[in-house]
């Protein structure tokens, strides 16, 4: 079993894209074309709906503009986009569809295309495949002459569609069809299954009708076989209703002349290939990218994964493998996400983002344009926030968004869009109230902000202040451009895409969310703020103190993680053990400092900056014969603390470890017991400066639940490097050119498309990448191999009428 796992390849599929817009939807003439058509689109894998857009109001050329992304959890044959007209008192009516077979998706990948809508015909809505076995038998009849008999065995079907939400009651008809003959036989009905097992065999005599007088006396000629076909139709038994067509396949009998037994899987096809003449139903503009990753066993990815995880340590960062991938795939969004996930899983993202942000700031000339472009750094931070900030959005925005969507107050303030009877003053008050609630929810959410986001924003603040030391506000704008413009405002505008709402909001609520989102962007843009001034909403004065915004943006306000908890603290530096060495104190920690107090709320006896904490670990009970002890190791003597119970002790260790996890002087080892009477009680070492005898506990990201398939992400990166291999070679040539050419600067086209700060280091990394890509490709070639044509994994596309 282990050997099978070592060679197993996982096939993982995903779909990304955008439903852009429709044009001239509906029949082009006659009474059926409605000028007030309200439409929406759906996406289906075969006949299963997996995505739905919001309803677009009264337009024959709607602009949908909705992005989609989802993992495809099962095999499929056809990807379909349907346009429906929204029904009021009746069911939604199909306008038309765009169907793309799986094998044709690569033709359209990554680019926008206009597709003409086809009619939605029940006879064209098919899915599934059928397993057939066919054979030509030679028989000796009564007079001694030879004849041929056709055997058709219908074994099973797989993946038949649901009918009215239920598994179908399917049966098959098997026919031998020729220019002048039609012999048909029928299987038994298989109840309530999408994967019926038929296991029925039928026999047909093969001859020309005019070559015999009795069925048992005939001669077979080659031209007869050329014209004969086996036709298999699948049906759902309707009992008292009409039977429903499920699909068909046609196989020419001539293939059996060179194949004594032919056994294969065939995809079911629509009648007439699903094509029929009809009025122009309009068209749909789509952008579709289908990705299929063939994921190898984990050990195959070790070299590439190791090279990518070393990226934050490479100097300069532009010579790292992760940056090179972003450089050669600069216009491809999908290049950033797998890198972010991989680095995030291995706790290497903060250092990488800091390095590429510093590189971007080197080329930023004005503080008011900081992090406003679509660069590698901004895209990495965008993806990081979407991954780690989802629960943060839920806690912060979901309650107020639920209230906005359910109360449904009118907030329209544009005179052109006001409806009859609307009171603009009332609408302004409604909008002002909603904005204040959203903004207050955001500015009061600091304690819920994921630590990883705080770490990234703290780094951005320091980098921005260093780059523009004369601008005191740049530390705020560097962070607010992400927190407000790229995070909260986007979530308010499209709450369903962040799972904050189950469905698309209706048109009026969507307009309200748009107004709130624009206001949040204005409030969050440091460019709209001035010194010692309150932020005002342009639609009506909504005064909100800027310090609320600043506190959230920096994520460095004093978060009272534990505000005054009673503990027993041992006096620091005492060498002897005694009850008087422990005193009752009130301990408090923020994300800046740890302090202890003689009385709650009074002046601190001691303040320890969090940045000086080097480790936080539990202490052996044997050290002081006390339970629930932990130690805070810092630049001075260790601080020993006894918590009230085991739960509090664990909470203290976790919280203090989290707030100090990014400190540069973190220790790798520690002593689990105390230094008393001239020796460490744990290892008996006599020197109090002796390095620890036990490894420190690794600190994991708090509040971060991630399910990241690192092998899949590395395979995705391999595919991206492979598809951009020509650019990788150009970068290698550019490095060589820079290194050896000593004359005037070369033409712009030679290497200006790449970021090459150190040609030698970049060249070295590119060569490593090239070597690893070749090794991985060899692994793919050795392990994969295309499934045999006609197998269940690679079925045959049969002929259609």
């Amino acid at each position: 079993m282990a050997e099978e796992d070592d060679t197993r390849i996982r096939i993982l599929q995903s779909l990304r894209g955008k439903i852009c817009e429709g044009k001239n939807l509906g029949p082009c003439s006659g009474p059926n074309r409605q000028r007030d058509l309200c439409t929406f689109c759906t996406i289906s894998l075969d006949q299963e709906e997996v995505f739905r857009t919001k309803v677009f109001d009264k337009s024959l050329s709607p602009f949908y503009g909705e992005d989609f992304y989802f993992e495809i959890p099962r095999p499929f044959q056809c990807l379909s986009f349907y346009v429906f007209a929204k029904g009021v008192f009746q069911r939604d009516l199909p306008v038309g569809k765009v169907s793309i077979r799986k094998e044709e998706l690569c033709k359209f990948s990554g680019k926008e295309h206009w597709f003409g809508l086809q009619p939605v015909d029940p006879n064209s809505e098919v899915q599934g495949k059928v397993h057939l076995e066919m054979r030509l038998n030679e028989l000796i009849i009564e007079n001694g002459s030879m004849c041929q008999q056709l055997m058709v065995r219908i074994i099973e079907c797989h993946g038949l569609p649901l009918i009215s939400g239920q598994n179908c009651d399917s049966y098959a008809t098997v026919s031998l069809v020729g220019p002048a003959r039609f012999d048909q036989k029928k299987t038994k009905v298989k109840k309530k299954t999408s994967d019926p097992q038929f296991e029925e065999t039928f026999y047909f005599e093969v001859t020309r009708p005019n070559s015999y007088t009795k069925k048992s006396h005939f001669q077979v000629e080659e031209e007869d076989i050329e014209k004969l076909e086996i036709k298999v139709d699948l049906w759902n038994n309707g009992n008292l209703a009409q039977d429903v067509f499920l699909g068909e396949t046609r196989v020419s009998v001539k293939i059996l002349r060179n194949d004594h037994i032919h056994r294969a899987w065939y995809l079911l096809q629509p009648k007439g290939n699903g094509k029929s003449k009809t009025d122009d139903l309009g068209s749909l503009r789509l952008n579709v990218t289908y990705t299929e990753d063939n994921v190898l066993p984990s050990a195959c990815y070790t070299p590439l994964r190791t090279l990518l995880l070393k990226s934050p340590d490479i100097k300069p960062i532009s010579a790292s493998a992760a940056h090179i991938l972003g450089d050669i795939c600069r216009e491809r969004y999908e290049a950033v996400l797998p890198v972010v996930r991989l680095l995030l899983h291995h706790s290497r993202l903060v250092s990488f983002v800091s390095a590429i942000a510093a590189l971007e700031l080197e080329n930023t000339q004005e503080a008011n344009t900081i992090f406003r472009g679509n660069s590698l750094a901004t895209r990495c931070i965008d993806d990081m926030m979407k991954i780690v900030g989802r629960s943060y959005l839920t806690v912060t925005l979901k309650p107020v968004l639920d209230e906005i969507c359910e109360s449904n107050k009118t907030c329209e303030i544009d005179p052109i869009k006001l409806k009859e009877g609307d009171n603009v003053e009332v609408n302004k008050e409604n909008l002002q109230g909603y904005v204040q609630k959203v903004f207050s929810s955001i500015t009061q959410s600091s304690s819920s902000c994921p630590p990883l986001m705080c770490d990234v924003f703290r780094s951005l603040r320091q980098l921005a202040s260093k780059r523009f030391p004369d601008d005191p506000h740049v530390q705020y704008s560097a962070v607010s451009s992400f927190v407000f413009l790229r995070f909260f405002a986007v979530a308010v505008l499209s709450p369903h895409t962040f799972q904050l709402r189950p469905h698309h909001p209706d048109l009026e609520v969507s307009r309200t969310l748009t107004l709130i989102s624009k206001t949040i962007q204005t409030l969050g843009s440091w460019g709209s703020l001035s010194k010692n001034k309150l932020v005002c909403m342009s639609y009506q004065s909504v005064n909100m103190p800027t310090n609320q915004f600043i506190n959230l943006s920096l994520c460095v306000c004093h978060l009272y993680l534990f505000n005054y908890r009673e503990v027993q603290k041992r006096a620091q530096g005492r060498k002897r053990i005694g009850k008087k060495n422990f005193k009752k104190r009130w301990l408090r920690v923020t994300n800046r400092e740890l302090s202890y107090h003689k009385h709650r709320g009074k002046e601190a006896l001691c303040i320890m900056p969090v940045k000086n904490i080097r480790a936080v670990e539990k202490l052996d009970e044997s050290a002081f014969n006390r339970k629930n002890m932990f130690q805070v190791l810092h630049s001075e003597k260790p601080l020993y603390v006894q918590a009230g119970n085991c739960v509090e002790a664990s909470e203290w260790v976790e919280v203090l470890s989290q707030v100090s996890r990014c400190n540069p002087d973190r220790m790798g080892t520690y002593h689990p017991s105390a230094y008393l009477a001239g020796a460490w009680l744990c290892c008996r070492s006599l020197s109090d400066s002796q390095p620890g005898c036990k490894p420190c506990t690794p600190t994991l990201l708090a509040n971060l639940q991630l399910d990241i398939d690192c092998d899949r992400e590395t395979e995705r990166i391999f595919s991206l490097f492979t598809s951009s291999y020509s650019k990788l070679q150009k970068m290698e040539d550019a490095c060589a050119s820079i290194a050896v050419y000593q004359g005037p600067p070369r033409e712009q086209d030679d290497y200006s498309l790449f970021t090459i700060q150190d040609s030698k280091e970049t060249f070295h990394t590119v060569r490593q990448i090239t070597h690893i890509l070749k090794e991985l490709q060899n692994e793919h070639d050795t392990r994969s191999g295309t499934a045999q044509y006609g197998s269940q994994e690679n079925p045959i596309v049969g002929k259609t009428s």
Side-chain angles (χ1 to χ4, degrees):
M1 188 67 183
E3 293 182 1
E4 292 178 1
D5 291 340
D6 287 342
T7 60
R8 184 173 64 91
I9 293 181
R10 295 181 292 138
I11 300 177
L12 305 176
Q13 309 168 96
S14 63
L15 195 71
R16 181 192 303 279
K18 174 182 282 191
I19 301 176
C20 303
E21 61 179 316
K23 183 168 62 177
N24 300 326
L25 300 181
C28 63
S29 62
N32 291 329
R33 168 152 271 186
Q34 304 175 36
R35 294 297 171 186
D36 59 349
L37 199 65
C38 297
T39 62
F40 64 93
C41 292
T42 66
I43 302 177
S44 292
L45 295 172
D46 297 324
Q47 301 306 302
E48 181 184 6
E49 182 181 314
V50 294
F51 181 84
R52 178 176 292 217
T53 70
K54 63 184 178 182
V55 177
F56 199 95
D57 195 22
K58 298 180 180 180
S59 175
L60 298 179
S61 297
F63 182 82
Y64 297 107
E66 292 211 25
D67 295 306
F68 58 86
Y69 172 81
F70 49 85
E71 300 290 327
I72 300 175
R74 61 169 178 80
F76 73 102
Q77 300 175 29
C78 190
L79 174 70
S80 299
F81 298 83
Y82 292 84
V83 178
F84 286 92
K86 183 66 177 176
V88 180
F89 300 109
Q90 56 183 353
R91 65 184 180 87
D92 302 330
L93 299 175
V95 175
K97 69 173 182 178
V98 173
S99 291
I100 310 172
R101 298 203 71 84
K102 177 182 176 181
E103 58 269 16
E104 296 176 341
L105 282 171
C106 59
K107 299 178 185 177
F108 311 106
S109 185
K111 296 180 181 179
E112 290 184 0
H113 294 270
W114 281 100
F115 296 88
L117 293 179
Q118 299 296 321
V120 179
D121 177 5
N123 286 334
S124 68
E125 303 292 288
V126 304
Q127 69 179 67
K129 48 196 169 186
V130 59
H131 195 191
L132 302 176
E133 180 179 292
M134 295 161 282
R135 182 170 67 244
L136 275 175
N137 297 322
E138 290 190 349
L139 300 177
I140 301 177
I141 57 177
E142 293 177 358
N143 62 1
S145 60
M146 299 289 294
C147 69
Q148 286 186 308
Q149 181 188 59
L150 174 64
M151 183 276 288
V152 180
R153 177 177 165 228
I154 179 166
I155 304 170
E156 61 182 315
C157 288
H158 183 77
L160 297 181
L162 300 177
I163 303 297
S164 300
Q166 301 293 324
N167 286 325
C168 52
D169 296 337
S170 57
Y171 68 91
T173 60
V174 182
S175 308
L176 182 63
V177 181
R181 65 182 297 178
F182 185 85
D183 298 338
Q184 186 178 84
K185 303 180 188 294
K186 178 181 173 182
T187 69
K188 296 177 182 178
V189 176
K190 299 297 181 178
K191 297 280 189 179
K192 305 300 180 185
T193 176
S194 294
D195 303 316
Q197 302 285 324
F198 291 107
E199 289 292 351
E200 294 193 40
T201 303
F202 304 102
Y203 296 93
F204 301 90
E205 294 178 333
V206 180
T207 184
R208 287 192 306 175
N210 60 359
S211 67
Y212 66 95
T213 56
K214 294 183 180 179
K215 280 195 173 183
S216 59
H217 294 78
F218 59 90
Q219 294 293 325
V220 178
E221 299 179 7
E222 286 191 4
E223 57 267 23
D224 295 325
I225 295 179
E226 295 287 342
K227 298 173 184 178
L228 293 176
E229 288 182 338
I230 303 158
K231 180 171 177 285
V232 179
D233 294 89
L234 270 297
W235 298 86
N236 178 65
N237 182 36
N239 293 320
L240 299 178
Q242 185 177 0
D243 292 354
V244 177
F245 174 76
L246 300 179
E248 68 172 33
T249 190
R250 293 169 176 256
V251 184
S252 176
V253 175
K254 67 181 180 181
I255 68 170
L256 303 178
R257 291 184 302 179
N258 300 319
D259 192 355
H260 184 61
I261 299 179
H262 178 77
R263 183 169 177 165
W265 284 86
Y266 284 84
L267 286 176
L268 295 175
Q269 301 291 308
K271 282 186 178 179
N273 204 22
K275 296 179 180 178
S276 59
K277 292 183 178 180
T278 183
D279 289 337
D280 181 14
L281 300 176
S283 53
L284 203 59
R285 183 162 62 92
L286 303 170
N287 188 326
V288 182
T289 298
Y290 168 72
T291 302
E292 184 175 284
D293 293 320
N294 294 286
V295 182
L296 301 171
S298 185
C300 300
Y301 296 111
T302 300
L304 181 56
R305 185 167 50 241
T306 302
L307 184 63
L308 289 162
L309 294 178
K310 287 168 55 178
S311 293
D313 304 323
I314 300 298
K315 306 290 187 220
I317 191 64
S318 60
S320 68
H323 191 283
I324 288 173
L325 178 65
D327 222 11
I328 63 177
C329 302
R330 187 172 295 173
E331 301 302 321
R332 302 184 67 181
Y333 168 81
E334 62 265 26
V336 175
L337 188 58
V339 170
V340 169
R341 285 175 172 164
L342 187 66
L343 295 177
L344 187 59
H345 182 80
H346 292 277
S347 301
R348 301 288 285 154
L349 183 63
V350 175
S351 53
F352 178 71
V353 167
S354 299
I356 59 177
L359 176 59
E360 180 174 335
L361 285 172
E362 289 179 15
N363 300 316
T364 303
Q365 303 304 318
E366 297 185 13
N368 60 2
T369 62
I370 191 169
F371 298 129
R372 293 303 174 96
N374 191 26
S375 64
L376 180 61
T378 58
R379 287 184 296 175
C380 283
I381 297 172
D382 282 349
D383 280 339
M384 177 274 297
M385 292 191 298
K386 291 176 183 177
I387 294 171
V388 307
R390 182 162 293 177
S391 60
Y392 178 34
L393 287 175
T394 301
V395 171
T396 305
L397 292 182
K398 192 176 190 317
V400 66
L401 289 177
D402 286 343
E403 179 186 345
I404 292 170
C405 294
E406 292 164 11
S407 61
N408 201 21
K409 295 179 182 178
T410 303
C411 298
E412 186 55 70
I413 56 176
D414 186 343
I416 299 176
K417 296 184 177 182
L418 287 173
K419 297 179 181 178
E420 185 177 352
D422 282 350
N423 186 320
V424 69
E425 294 302 322
V426 173
N427 292 359
K428 285 182 180 179
E429 291 180 6
N430 293 338
L431 180 59
Q432 175 180 339
Y434 282 156
V435 169
Q436 284 182 333
K437 286 184 177 181
V438 172
F439 197 73
S440 296
S441 296
I442 294 172
T443 56
Q444 294 171 12
S445 69
S446 300
S447 60
S448 301
C449 187
L452 183 74
M453 289 176 61
C454 293
D455 294 343
V456 170
F457 296 150
R458 188 178 296 112
S459 176
L460 295 181
R461 175 202 180 200
Q462 294 169 352
L463 291 169
S465 298
K466 183 178 180 180
R467 177 67 178 85
F468 299 100
D470 298 329
D471 189 335
H473 304 300
V474 72
Q475 59 178 319
Y476 306 137
S477 59
V479 177
S480 65
S481 61
F482 289 104
V483 175
F484 282 92
L485 276 63
R486 296 172 180 264
F487 187 59
F488 284 118
V490 176
V492 170
L493 183 63
S494 303
H496 57 282
T497 61
F498 292 88
Q499 286 78 52
L500 299 177
R501 292 289 296 170
H503 306 293
H504 295 278
D506 62 35
L507 296 175
E508 189 169 336
V509 173
S510 182
R511 172 63 178 165
T512 298
L513 295 178
T514 299
L515 294 173
I516 296 172
S517 177
K518 288 181 178 179
T519 309
I520 294 300
Q521 290 184 49
T522 302
L523 294 170
S525 175
W526 183 257
S528 69
L529 308 180
S530 58
K531 296 178 184 178
N532 304 318
K533 189 177 179 180
L534 299 181
V535 186
C536 294
M537 183 175 70
S538 58
Y539 303 117
Q540 179 170 330
S541 295
V542 179
N543 296 327
M544 297 182 182
T546 60
N547 63 340
Q548 290 180 314
F549 155 66
I550 294 168
N551 285 341
L552 172 74
S553 299
L554 292 181
C555 291
V556 294
C557 55
H558 282 281
L559 309 184
Y560 296 107
L561 303 174
F562 279 168
N563 195 9
Y564 297 113
R565 286 198 178 184
E566 192 176 63
V567 299
Q568 295 284 336
K569 182 199 75 67
R570 183 176 188 269
Q572 298 186 70
R574 292 288 180 91
K575 296 182 179 180
R576 291 191 304 174
I577 300 177
K579 290 185 178 180
K580 293 184 179 180
N581 290 340
F582 284 89
K583 303 212 174 186
K584 184 182 293 185
R585 292 290 182 258
W586 292 90
L587 199 64
R588 187 185 73 162
V589 61
T590 74
N591 62 346
R592 282 186 177 177
E593 61 191 30
L594 173 68
S595 59
Y596 56 83
H597 310 247
K598 187 172 183 178
H599 299 287
R600 182 188 180 103
K602 300 299 183 180
E603 185 178 353
L605 296 177
C606 178
I607 296 177
M608 182 188 306
V610 164
K611 64 181 180 181
N612 292 343
I613 296 177
R614 303 182 64 194
V616 183
E617 298 287 348
K618 291 188 176 181
L619 192 70
D620 284 351
E621 182 179 336
S622 59
F624 300 105
N625 292 321
R626 288 173 176 256
K627 295 181 178 181
N628 309 321
M629 292 284 297
F630 66 92
Q631 54 182 320
V632 181
L633 307 173
H634 56 108
S635 51
E636 304 296 332
K637 296 289 183 181
L639 174 65
Y640 297 122
V641 181
Q642 182 184 22
N645 54 59
C646 61
V647 174
E648 282 192 8
S650 296
E651 288 177 344
W652 277 112
V653 172
E654 181 180 357
V655 169
L656 288 169
S657 296
Q658 286 299 326
V659 296
S660 63
R661 69 190 178 283
C662 294
N663 291 351
D665 296 328
R666 292 278 300 184
M667 296 170 61
T669 59
Y670 77 103
H671 290 284
S673 194
Y675 184 81
L676 295 171
W680 289 101
L681 300 181
C682 46
C683 60
R684 310 310 303 174
S685 175
L686 300 180
S687 171
D688 62 350
S689 60
Q690 177 71 22
C693 57
K694 186 176 180 180
C696 287
T697 305
T699 304
L700 302 176
L701 293 174
N703 305 321
L704 186 58
Q705 299 295 325
L706 296 178
D707 183 15
I708 295 177
D709 186 341
C710 289
D711 294 337
R712 199 260 181 90
E713 303 304 336
T714 312
E715 169 62 26
R716 187 90 291 277
I717 292 169
F718 162 71
S719 298
L720 291 166
F721 269 129
T722 302
S723 62
S724 301
Y725 192 74
S726 60
K727 289 185 179 180
L728 196 63
Q729 289 182 312
K730 287 182 180 179
M731 178 177 275
E732 182 178 334
D733 294 341
C735 291
S737 177
I738 294 171
V740 303
Y741 188 75
Q742 302 298 324
R746 301 289 299 272
E747 292 185 9
Q748 194 74 359
D749 291 341
D750 281 353
Y751 42 77
S752 62
L753 297 176
F754 309 116
T755 305
I756 303 177
Q757 295 174 289
D758 185 326
S759 59
K760 184 177 180 181
E761 188 68 32
T762 305
F763 182 84
H764 176 66
T765 305
V766 172
R767 293 303 296 264
Q768 285 182 289
I769 294 170
T770 303
H771 174 73
I772 291 172
L773 293 183
K774 290 179 180 178
E775 294 294 322
L776 257 178
Q777 188 59 57
N778 288 337
E779 290 284 356
H780 274 282
D781 294 341
T782 301
R783 294 172 180 267
S784 58
T786 305
Q788 182 179 355
Y789 190 48
S791 65
Q792 186 171 3
E793 296 76 20
N794 188 18
I796 298 170
V797 180
K799 294 173 58 180
T800 57
S801 56

